[in-house]
Amino acid sequence: MNRFSRYLIAAPTLPLMLAPGAFAAEQIGKALAITVTVSGDNGILRASSPIHRDERIRASNSGVGQFEFRDGTKLAVGPNSSLVLDRSIFAGDSSFQTLTLKATRGTFRWVSGNSKSSAYKVNTPFGTLGVRGTVVDIYVGSGTAAVVVLEGKATFCGNDGTCKRLERGCDIVRANRKGLLDASTEKSETAVRGVRNEVSFPFLMGTRKLSKPFQVGGGRCGLSASARNPNKMKGGDERSEPRRQGGNEGL
């Protein structure tokens, strides 16, 4: 066989080798539990399905996905939610040097794992969340994002460069595309203006159930279906300090 013939045989295989997805993305975690429908880049996910770097996770209108990353970090994805497992760099077999998620829509619960706190970052269209030994609930809507810290500490920096530290259980921050919203002027009967608490924070409100590794006891941080004003959380009367335990009193 001459050189030209070998080229003709090999040439058709080049597009397959160079096509997107030809090289498998690195697995960074797996699904622990799936309710209704949650999909990844390769189709519908089920319990034990692997998840990979750069993969987009989408939940249906009633779907809930519970995931665990290789360092023990846990992520719950609520109904009608979408995020990308944006960037990851391992610092050994069971920890990350960098783990960055891009939450574009929906509701999420984050439970930090064994990596250094500086490794974790959650990007939203309204700002960036950094977490430290933390359990947080996150809401990303079309015009607003909100974060409630349930355990540990976190910092949220808005698009205007202004940052807010969340240092106590039930501390909350809200932001729009212009930056952080002032809690003293952003009066609302719900945690997010115009959005029912059961929709913005379904895990905290207990409208969507999670397995024990994702649970945090201690109530609902002053939020209720009867729409008490969540801005009163800062006053102390309605604050309920979360604590990790085997059960989940408020959920």
Side-chain angles (χ1 to χ4, degrees), residues 19-197:
F23 302 99
E26 186 173 27
Q27 180 178 344
I28 60 174
K30 65 180 181 179
L32 296 180
I34 300 293
T35 303
V36 188
T37 303
V38 179
S39 301
D41 288 346
N42 295 316
I44 294 175
L45 297 172
R46 295 174 173 81
S48 299
S49 291
I51 55 175
H52 304 88
R53 185 180 60 199
D54 300 324
E55 186 168 9
R56 180 177 291 276
I57 307 296
R58 302 177 182 87
S60 67
N61 289 341
S62 300
V64 175
Q66 300 177 65
F67 302 92
E68 183 176 41
F69 296 97
R70 281 173 50 176
D71 71 334
T73 293
K74 296 174 179 61
L75 175 73
V77 178
N80 196 30
S81 298
S82 177
L83 87 161
V84 177
L85 310 177
D86 195 34
R87 186 166 183 248
S88 62
I89 300 174
F90 285 106
D93 293 335
S94 59
S95 65
F96 289 100
Q97 179 180 329
T98 300
L99 177 60
T100 302
L101 309 183
K102 183 186 294 182
T104 56
R105 182 186 71 242
T107 60
F108 311 90
R109 172 164 289 180
W110 169 283
V111 182
S112 293
N114 301 321
S115 301
K116 293 182 179 179
S117 58
S118 59
Y120 300 129
K121 185 182 296 183
V122 180
N123 293 322
T124 78
F126 311 98
T128 299
L129 176 69
V131 295
R132 291 180 286 163
T134 308
V135 181
V136 294
D137 278 9
I138 304 165
Y139 168 77
V140 181
S142 59
T144 310
V147 176
V148 176
V149 65
L150 305 176
E151 194 176 274
K153 299 179 181 181
T155 300
F156 188 89
C157 296
N159 291 338
D160 61 350
T162 303
C163 299
K164 180 175 180 178
R165 298 181 66 180
L166 308 174
E167 298 186 313
R168 297 182 298 169
C170 295
D171 276 355
I172 186 170
V173 62
R174 307 169 186 83
N176 60 21
R177 294 186 186 277
K178 295 181 179 179
L180 302 188
L181 295 174
D182 187 345
S184 64
T185 59
E186 183 69 12
K187 299 296 183 182
S188 173
E189 293 184 346
T190 55
V192 178
R193 183 187 294 274
V195 182
R196 292 185 299 117
N197 293 329

